[in-house]
Amino acid sequence: MKYVFIVNPIAGNDNKIKIFSRIKSTFRLIDDEMIIEETKAQGDAKRISREYAERFGKDCVVVSCGGDGTVHEIANGLAGTDTPMMILPLGTGNDFAKKVYGTKKINVENVIKAFGLYSGKIRYDIMPIDLIDYNGEKCINVMSYGLDTLVETIGRKIAAKAPFLGHNAYNVAIVPVLAKPIHYDISYELNCVDKQTGEEYTVREENKDYALMAICNASWYGGGFCPAPNSVLDDGLLDVCIVDGMPLINALPLIGKYSNGELNETTSSYCTNYYIKSGTIKSVDGSALLGNCDGENFNYSQVDFFVDEKALKLCVIK
């Protein structure tokens, strides 16, 4: 078996040299092959993972060694192939990994040990998971619009200038965002499912006044905000959280709830939740949407999306 470690050299964890030294020592003692590929530019992780998947298929595991951006690119490279992805959370936020490993406080050393990468007894199960297809691209974690996209954008800039802040850079970013009116406009059509009855129905809104909208395959994003605590990675559904536009004084008490996964339509009249299979989102005036996918902004004026069921094979701890 070939294990291809795709490494983002500028990702957040400072212990990568020590970690890889130990893993290399382990692979010298076993028959499996360790290959290290270091990214140099945006898109490298997607290209490299696709090339190995095409060459080796199921006889290869691509190991994501970075943060959410690296995971996003590799998911796009491996979608629809037989090659699974393993995640070593070496980034700043590691939001998708929080869902995979079931904790907000991930210890990368424990993850490495659990997969047997230090002992040489490599073990894992393979779980086919859903992705979000949006305009032909893939989202593995959260696609979001509005206030949270501004927080993501400013948070990344702060993290780049002050890396010691880690994921707290996103908390700092909330301050300048909330200094502006929390009202944005969007139009959408969502194809929903009632989880209790299985009944399908459609929700349409034109010129919706909203603060944020999160369409979730997983649970956490933005350095630890949690709009969908009960999301399931392989259920063929996306969890949607829509928060209406509001005055600042009403927004402040909701931030903690949103971070802790406690903001929903039962805890706030500003919030609405849906389970959906597909949908279309449009800007009101034809300009670029204030949106992002897996923390990366996009410039679409319209996004058509659907659940790409079990499109990616993921290595999970046994």
Side-chain angles (χ1 to χ4, degrees), residues 92-93 98 104 151 154-156 158-159 162-175 222-225 259:
T92 301
K98 292 180 176 75
K104 288 185 71 174
V151 172
I154 296 173
R156 283 199 305 275
I158 293 173
F164 62 89
L165 287 174
H167 69 271
N168 288 319
Y170 297 96
N171 296 328
V172 174
I174 294 173
V175 177
F225 291 94
S259 178

Side-chain angles (χ1 to χ4, degrees), residues 94-161:
N94 301 310
D95 285 315
F96 183 71
K98 292 180 176 75
K99 181 66 178 180
V100 175
Y101 301 122
T103 177
K104 288 185 71 174
K105 297 181 180 180
I106 300 174
N107 184 311
V108 67
E109 294 282 345
N110 289 342
V111 171
I112 293 169
K113 291 174 185 176
F115 280 127
L117 293 172
Y118 282 160
S119 68
K121 298 177 181 179
I122 302 176
R123 55 194 180 272
Y124 52 85
D125 288 325
I126 295 178
M127 174 185 179
I129 67 167
D130 302 333
L131 297 174
I132 306 172
D133 184 294
Y134 67 107
N135 290 2
E137 300 180 64
K138 306 298 182 184
C139 172
I140 192 171
N141 191 29
V142 175
M143 180 167 61
S144 63
Y145 301 84
L147 180 148
D148 43 6
T149 296
L150 288 178
V151 172
E152 285 267 9
T153 302
I154 296 173
R156 283 199 305 275
K157 292 178 179 178
I158 293 173
K161 293 180 179 179

Side-chain angles (χ1 to χ4, degrees), residues 120-304:
K121 298 177 181 179
I122 302 176
R123 55 194 180 272
Y124 52 85
D125 288 325
I126 295 178
M127 174 185 179
I129 67 167
D130 302 333
L131 297 174
I132 306 172
D133 184 294
Y134 67 107
N135 290 2
E137 300 180 64
K138 306 298 182 184
C139 172
I140 192 171
N141 191 29
V142 175
M143 180 167 61
S144 63
Y145 301 84
L147 180 148
D148 43 6
T149 296
L150 288 178
V151 172
E152 285 267 9
T153 302
I154 296 173
R156 283 199 305 275
K157 292 178 179 178
I158 293 173
K161 293 180 179 179
F164 62 89
L165 287 174
H167 69 271
N168 288 319
Y170 297 96
N171 296 328
V172 174
I174 294 173
V175 177
V177 171
L178 290 181
K180 300 178 181 180
I182 313 173
H183 293 274
Y184 312 102
D185 296 309
I186 201 168
S187 298
Y188 56 80
E189 178 176 302
L190 305 177
N191 300 311
C192 308
V193 176
D194 186 316
K195 266 197 167 184
Q196 299 292 326
T197 65
E199 179 184 357
E200 298 187 15
Y201 62 99
T202 300
V203 173
R204 296 182 182 88
E205 289 279 0
E206 295 290 336
N207 300 343
K208 168 75 173 177
D209 174 26
Y210 79 111
L212 63 86
M213 181 184 205
I215 300 170
C216 309
N217 188 42
S219 294
W220 286 277
Y221 76 129
F225 291 94
C226 186
N230 299 315
S231 64
V232 180
L233 292 173
D234 62 350
D235 64 350
L237 295 172
L238 306 174
D239 295 38
V240 176
C241 176
I242 302 174
V243 180
D244 295 340
M246 68 185 77
L248 173 60
I249 192 171
N250 295 85
L252 293 175
L254 302 182
I255 295 172
K257 289 184 179 181
Y258 196 61
S259 178
N260 295 328
E262 298 169 351
L263 183 63
N264 53 59
E265 57 190 17
T266 62
T267 62
S268 173
S269 60
Y270 286 102
C271 187
T272 307
N273 300 104
Y274 301 105
Y275 299 104
I276 66 172
K277 286 179 173 275
S278 62
T280 296
I281 294 174
K282 301 178 182 180
S283 65
V284 172
D285 58 4
S287 62
L289 287 159
L290 183 62
N292 79 89
C293 168
D294 294 342
E296 297 296 326
N297 291 6
F298 49 67
N299 58 2
Y300 300 117
S301 61
Q302 176 174 323
V303 174
D304 299 299

